Every structure is written in C-alpha cells, then in structure tokens.
C-alpha cells in the first residue's frame, strides 16, 4: 500500500494535483491561497499564487490594480509617488502638486534644480538676469520690480557713479554737495586721508581735513603761531591785522589774560595796564 500524500490543511490527497510547499508542508492550491495569499489593497480580493503581486509601504496589489489614482495608468513599471495614500504617476503628481516655472510656464519636476523667490518658482536655467540674459544660478542678484539683475549688470545700469573714480557705488558711500563718493575716494585734497566719519571743511569746493585746512589757509595765532580755524567752537581775538586764540591773548610781560580787559599795543607786544604803567 502506497504512503499517503495529503494537503496539510484539508487533508485531501495531492496525488495527481498541483500543490505548493510552504513552511515545509504541502498545500493544495485553494488552501494555499486562502492561508497564505495577501489581500489586494485596491480590490480587496486575494492575490492568487499565479498572479503577479506588487508591494508598496505594507500594502499589496494585483499588478492590474496598481494604477494611478487620477489617470488610471498602470504603475507596474512606471515611476510614481504617493499623496495622502493615493498612488499617482509622475505626470499627474506634477500637474496637481508641483510648481510651475513663472518664466516658461512648465512644471518644475520633482528632483530638478529650481530657485524660489518671493513666492515664485523658476527652473534654474530660467532664472536669468534681465540685462545680460545669463542664468543667475546661486550667485547674488538684485530685484527691481518684476525684473532681476546680476550684481554687475545692476551696478552698470542703475548704481550711481563715484564723483572721483567714476565707478559704480553698490552700497554705502558718502554724499558731498549732492554728489556720491566711495568712502575710500572721499579724501582730503591735500594729505589724502579719508574724510568719511570725521570733521572736514572745504575751499573752492574741494574738501580738506581740519589739519590741512588750518596749515594751508587759516591765519596763524600771533602768540603760538598755530592756525586759528574757529572749528569746534574755538574763539579768537582780532586786533588790527593780528589774531590770537583766546587763551593765547595775554600780556606779553606778565602773561595775565587780556580777554575782556583793556590792553595797550607796544610795537609787537600787547601789555596789560600794570605792565604798560611800568614802562
């Protein structure tokens, strides 16, 4: 008598029938499908042993059920994505969820290089300088209303020009007599020291630092021989064709201050009453 060869589940004989070995036990086809086959997430029917099964994120599908939620295209051999558990082909996903390039009005495909600015999106190659028409890419740019410029083109087109070097002022600078200057170009006419941020004066429309102006143009104190500029609130005394700093206006003999007091000129000297009386 021959040995029995039965389905491990229903115990029916497997002689002359197709069967599938699973977990070291033989099963007839109906029992195998009912015990081991997955349920299709789309149609809710079993995925039989003879069906091609597709698997995505813990979900199982018949091959013919694995389709785009929007256009019903098969996704079995197509790139796809998932949105709120719905499967979408790339075309439908891009049409529904991807941005459109404001320059060419075409979809910016996922994974492609793009640039976003002020709520708008561009393909990287579509974001170009309005002047030279070259892609700006990751370089700095300057917006002007609805246009965008690379920095060199913007400076050439819009930036003011320095009065001295005639080059564009991209930012900052100094305004003197309603004319723009680079800080490094706005210098003393005589010694060339930068004047930005410090006191200065002018002569014949040319700027000078206080030191140079005093040395070149200011009258000299009769006593200390230093320039009398009047800058910074300094007061001075003038008599005939001679001038003194107020602290320097003293008696030539006893050095008492003569500010607000009577004095007597004596050749190149000025004297107080007492010293003049002793002559």
């Amino acid at each position: 008598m021959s040995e029995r060869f039965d389905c491990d589940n229903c115990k029916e004989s497997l002689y002359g029938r197709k069967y599938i070995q699973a977990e070291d036990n033989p099963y007839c086809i109906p029992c195998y499908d009912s015990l081991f086959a997955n349920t299709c997430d789309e149609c809710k029917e079993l995925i039989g042993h003879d069906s091609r099964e597709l698997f995505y994120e813990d979900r199982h599908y018949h091959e013919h059920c694995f389709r785009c939620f929007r256009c019903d295209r098969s996704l079995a051999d197509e790139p796809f994505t998932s949105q709120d558990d719905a499967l979408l082909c790339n075309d439908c996903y891009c049409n529904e969820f991807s941005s459109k390039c404001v320059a060419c009005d075409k979809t910016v495909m996922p994974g492609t290089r793009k640039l976003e600015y002020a709520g708008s999106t561009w393909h990287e190659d579509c974001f170009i300088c309005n002047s030279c028409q070259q892609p700006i890419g990751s370089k700095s740019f300057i917006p002007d209303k609805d246009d965008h410029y690379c920095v060199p083109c913007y400076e050439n087109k819009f930036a003011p020009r320095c009065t001295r070097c005639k080059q564009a002022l991209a930012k900052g600078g100094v305004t003197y007599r309603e004319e723009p200057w680079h800080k490094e170009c706005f210098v003393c006419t005589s010694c060339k020291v930068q004047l930005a941020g410090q006191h200065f004066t002018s002569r014949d429309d040319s700027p000078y630092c206080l030191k140079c102006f005093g040395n070149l143009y200011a009258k000299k104190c009769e006593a200390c021989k230093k320039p009398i500029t009047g800058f910074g609130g300094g007061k001075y005394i003038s008599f005939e064709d001679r001038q003194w700093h107020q602290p320097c206006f003293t008696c030539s003999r006893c050095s008492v201050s003569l500010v607000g007091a009577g004095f007597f000129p004596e050749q190149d000297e000025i004297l107080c009453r007492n010293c003049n009386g002793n002559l």
Side-chain angles (χ1 to χ4, degrees):
M1 188 174 178
S2 61
E3 185 179 355
R4 294 186 61 83
F5 184 56
D6 301 332
C7 172
D8 192 65
N9 183 55
C10 68
K11 306 306 180 184
E12 292 186 10
S13 175
L14 296 177
Y15 282 115
R17 301 172 61 188
K18 289 183 178 181
Y19 70 93
I20 299 175
Q21 193 85 7
E23 298 178 352
D24 296 329
N25 297 310
Y27 294 88
C28 64
I29 298 304
C31 285
Y32 177 85
D33 284 347
S34 65
L35 290 173
F36 298 105
N38 293 307
T39 300
C40 176
D41 196 75
E42 180 65 24
C43 70
K44 310 305 180 188
E45 295 181 4
L46 289 177
I47 304 172
H49 70 284
D50 56 350
S51 299
R52 183 184 177 191
E53 180 178 345
L54 300 178
F55 177 79
Y56 175 69
E57 290 189 350
D58 296 327
R59 291 177 284 173
H60 301 265
Y61 300 86
H62 292 105
E63 180 180 14
H64 61 270
C65 292
F66 195 63
R67 312 185 75 82
C68 175
F69 179 75
R70 288 282 184 269
C71 69
D72 206 37
R73 177 195 299 180
S74 173
L75 299 177
D77 298 304
E78 296 282 340
F80 66 91
T81 189
S82 176
Q83 186 72 22
D84 298 329
D85 292 333
L87 300 175
L88 296 170
C89 65
N90 267 6
D91 289 343
C92 289
Y93 177 84
C94 291
N95 289 335
E96 189 162 347
F97 298 105
S98 292
S99 304
K100 284 190 178 295
C101 174
V102 297
C104 68
D105 200 37
K106 294 181 180 179
T107 300
V108 179
M109 300 295 288
T112 59
R113 296 176 68 88
K114 63 181 180 179
L115 188 142
E116 295 178 322
Y117 174 71
S120 297
T121 304
W122 289 261
H123 293 109
E124 185 179 49
D125 291 340
C126 292
F127 190 68
I128 61 176
C129 171
N130 191 256
S131 180
C132 67
Q133 301 297 304
Q134 294 300 308
I136 293 175
S138 60
K139 295 181 291 187
S140 298
F141 67 92
I142 300 173
D144 183 66
K145 297 179 182 178
D146 293 331
D147 297 326
H148 306 89
Y149 295 88
C150 63
V151 173
C153 285
Y154 183 86
E155 291 179 352
N156 289 333
K157 191 176 183 69
F158 298 108
R161 300 278 170 174
C162 174
T163 302
R164 183 182 182 191
C165 72
K166 310 305 179 186
Q167 298 299 310
L169 275 82
K171 59 182 179 179
V174 174
T175 299
Y176 172 65
R177 295 190 180 276
E178 300 183 357
E179 293 179 336
W181 305 64
H182 289 113
K183 287 184 177 180
E184 58 271 23
C185 291
F186 188 62
V187 298
C188 173
T189 304
S190 178
C191 69
K192 308 306 178 185
V193 68
Q194 288 190 28
L195 298 178
Q198 64 171 295
H199 293 294
F200 67 92
T201 188
S202 64
R203 184 179 177 89
D204 298 329
D205 293 338
S206 297
Y208 290 87
C209 67
L210 301 188
K211 181 179 179 180
C212 287
F213 182 85
N215 290 335
L216 293 172
Y217 303 111
K219 295 180 179 180
K220 303 298 189 292
C221 175
E222 189 72 17
C224 70
K225 308 305 180 184
K226 294 181 180 179
I228 299 175
T229 61
F231 300 124
K235 296 181 179 179
Y236 66 96
I237 308 296
S238 180
F239 174 68
E240 294 180 347
D241 59 349
R242 293 183 289 173
Q243 287 79 31
W244 293 262
H245 295 110
Q246 193 176 74
C248 296
F249 191 57
T250 60
C251 175
S252 300
R253 300 289 177 86
C254 69
S255 299
V256 68
S257 175
L258 298 178
V259 177
F263 64 91
F264 299 88
E266 179 64 29
Q267 297 181 359
D268 293 335
E269 297 181 326
I270 50 170
L271 305 175
C272 64
R273 290 182 181 274
N274 291 337
C275 289
N276 185 64
N278 293 331
L279 292 178

